[in-house]
Amino acid sequence: MTIVFPKNFGIESVDEFLKISEIIFSLKHKHEQDFELNLSKINSICLLGQLLIYKFISYTSENECFIKPRLTFNLNHELEKTLIQYGFYPIIKTYIVSPTNEGEILKAYKKLKYFERDNVLITPQRLLRSEIHLKSIFEEELFNRIFLFYQCNDKSRLVCTAISELLSNFWSHATDDSGTVMVAMGNKHYMEICFADNGCGIITNLQSSNEKYKKMSKEMILRQSLMQGVTSKANSNHLGMGLYLIDMIAKKNNGYFRVISEGYEYISGRNKEKVRKSGFWKGTIVYLRLELDKIVCIKDIKELLVVNKLPITWR
């Protein structure tokens, strides 16, 4: 079996990727032989594309889908340089070479670094269940770097709030994902934030939390997850504002927001909003792009006035 991903792996190619890759979720512990992941045909790749290739490889390794899989690159290919630049290459290589060596995998994760180049900030953030005690330290380091980079409290708060909500969703809901990466990249004019896990997806989370969701279609459940006050953690301190809040931030700041989970996706932006079928992905994929030249601050978004009355520090 050989899998070849899109030549120009941009945000618009994600659906093609999902259709190509969904087969892996039926191969858990199958130990398939003669598998090749051919990346040599990729000419260009977006931030989310890099994250998804990494998650594809980590899932197949952790779940023993294949025996001695082959990863094909062109020597000195631009993709390899890009994966090295963003920190994914050492992790991918480790999963291929030492899929069961947790020590080597953790060492590869620790090579992820924040960096700035040509006024661009790139912040890969490792999220490992084994390091949950370091969550507050990770967040503090990340947010401090963002505040220093923008030197504008309103922009910084906007970006940090979006990132904080995504991080919070992972720690709260992706309970069977051993580790993943969130990566943010941007400059003074925009910020992209990408996140993907292979844990319990949004739809399954809600279905198991309340009887009323078991009677709904998957499409309707995904729509519900974007509504105010919807949470799978009833009778807790979870307000059910995470995805709704991010969606409002995106809409008010000329953004693009995409949530993919278990065969369906929500897309908001470019004067469109829709839920539609997609290729199956176990877990959740989130992509957010914010335009920052002329922002609407969180405190000025009227749809969030109820939230703004709560004792929450937008940091």
Side-chain angles (χ1 to χ4, degrees):
M1 179 192 301
T2 300
I3 289 185
V4 180
F5 291 144
K7 287 185 177 181
N8 298 303
F9 199 161
I11 189 67
E12 302 299 338
S13 304
V14 171
D15 286 321
E16 184 181 350
F17 164 85
L18 292 171
K19 290 175 183 176
I20 292 170
S21 65
E22 65 180 355
I23 188 174
I24 66 172
F25 300 112
S26 64
L27 297 177
K28 187 173 182 178
H29 303 311
K30 294 292 186 180
H31 304 99
E32 293 286 324
Q33 299 185 43
D34 299 319
F35 172 76
E36 177 189 13
L37 178 59
N38 190 334
L39 305 180
S40 66
K41 305 295 184 182
I42 298 176
N43 295 325
S44 62
I45 188 166
C46 67
L47 189 65
L48 180 57
Q50 297 173 56
L51 179 60
L52 293 180
I53 286 176
Y54 146 71
K55 285 305 294 180
F56 176 100
I57 291 172
S58 66
Y59 179 87
T60 57
S61 295
E62 290 174 351
N63 293 281
E64 302 174 316
C65 297
F66 308 112
I67 295 177
K68 295 181 180 179
R70 300 187 303 279
L71 181 65
T72 303
F73 274 110
N74 276 340
L75 289 175
N76 300 317
H77 191 275
E78 194 63 32
L79 172 64
E80 187 172 347
K81 294 178 183 177
T82 302
L83 291 173
I84 290 171
Q85 176 185 9
Y86 284 76
F88 288 115
Y89 187 72
I91 307 174
I92 288 173
K93 186 177 179 181
T94 304
Y95 270 115
I96 293 291
V97 176
S98 307
T100 60
N101 191 326
E102 293 184 5
E104 288 300 311
I105 291 171
L106 178 59
K107 191 185 299 182
Y109 272 111
K110 288 184 176 180
K111 291 181 180 178
L112 291 170
K113 302 293 182 185
Y114 312 99
F115 68 91
E116 294 179 33
R117 193 191 68 186
D118 300 327
N119 294 318
V120 174
L121 174 70
I122 299 175
T123 62
Q125 178 79 42
R126 70 181 190 266
L127 306 172
L128 304 178
R129 284 285 161 201
S130 61
E131 296 185 330
I132 193 168
H133 61 289
L134 297 177
K135 174 180 177 288
S136 60
I137 297 174
F138 289 160
E139 290 182 347
E140 188 67 24
E141 289 179 355
L142 178 63
F143 297 156
N144 283 342
R145 287 178 180 273
I146 290 172
F147 269 79
L148 287 172
F149 178 77
Y150 283 110
Q151 296 183 347
C152 170
N153 283 342
D154 287 339
K155 283 186 182 182
S156 299
R157 287 195 183 100
L158 194 70
V159 171
C160 286
T161 298
I163 290 176
S164 180
E165 288 299 327
L166 291 176
L167 288 172
S168 177
N169 273 311
F170 169 78
W171 293 115
S172 299
H173 303 302
T175 53
D176 55 344
D177 193 306
S178 60
T180 188
V181 172
M182 184 205 75
V183 60
M185 180 188 78
N187 57 26
K188 306 298 182 182
H189 308 291
Y190 76 93
M191 175 60 77
E192 288 180 287
I193 305 165
C194 306
F195 173 85
D197 70 57
N198 295 127
C200 186
I202 290 172
I203 293 170
T204 297
N205 251 320
L206 285 176
Q207 279 181 327
S208 61
S209 71
N210 194 307
E211 283 294 325
K212 69 178 181 180
Y213 294 118
K214 294 180 180 178
K215 301 175 183 178
M216 294 183 184
S217 66
K218 289 186 176 182
E219 178 182 353
M220 183 58 68
I221 293 172
L222 186 57
R223 287 185 184 276
Q224 286 282 310
S225 73
L226 273 295
M227 293 184 180
Q228 184 175 346
V230 174
T231 178
S232 62
K233 302 282 186 179
N235 302 316
S236 72
N237 61 349
H238 289 265
L239 301 175
M241 297 300 298
L243 294 179
Y244 174 78
L245 187 151
I246 297 168
D247 195 29
M248 282 296 110
I249 290 174
K251 286 175 178 175
K252 300 299 181 179
N253 286 279
N254 194 30
Y256 182 73
F257 185 42
R258 195 165 180 176
V259 181
I260 303 167
S261 187
E262 301 177 276
Y264 284 85
E265 61 182 329
Y266 169 82
I267 301 174
S268 173
R270 302 170 189 172
N271 298 317
K272 295 179 181 178
E273 180 180 318
K274 57 187 174 184
V275 174
R276 67 185 184 189
K277 279 190 174 183
S278 69
F280 181 84
W281 180 266
K282 183 187 181 312
T284 303
I285 299 167
V286 173
Y287 172 82
L288 173 66
R289 180 183 171 104
L290 298 175
E291 302 298 330
L292 302 175
D293 282 333
K294 187 178 180 181
I295 68 168
V296 177
C297 299
I298 296 171
K299 61 182 176 60
D300 296 324
I301 300 177
K302 64 180 181 180
E303 288 85 353
L304 299 179
L305 286 177
V306 174
V307 181
N308 287 330
K309 290 177 182 177
L310 296 172
I312 296 174
T313 300
W314 300 110
R315 170 74 160 84

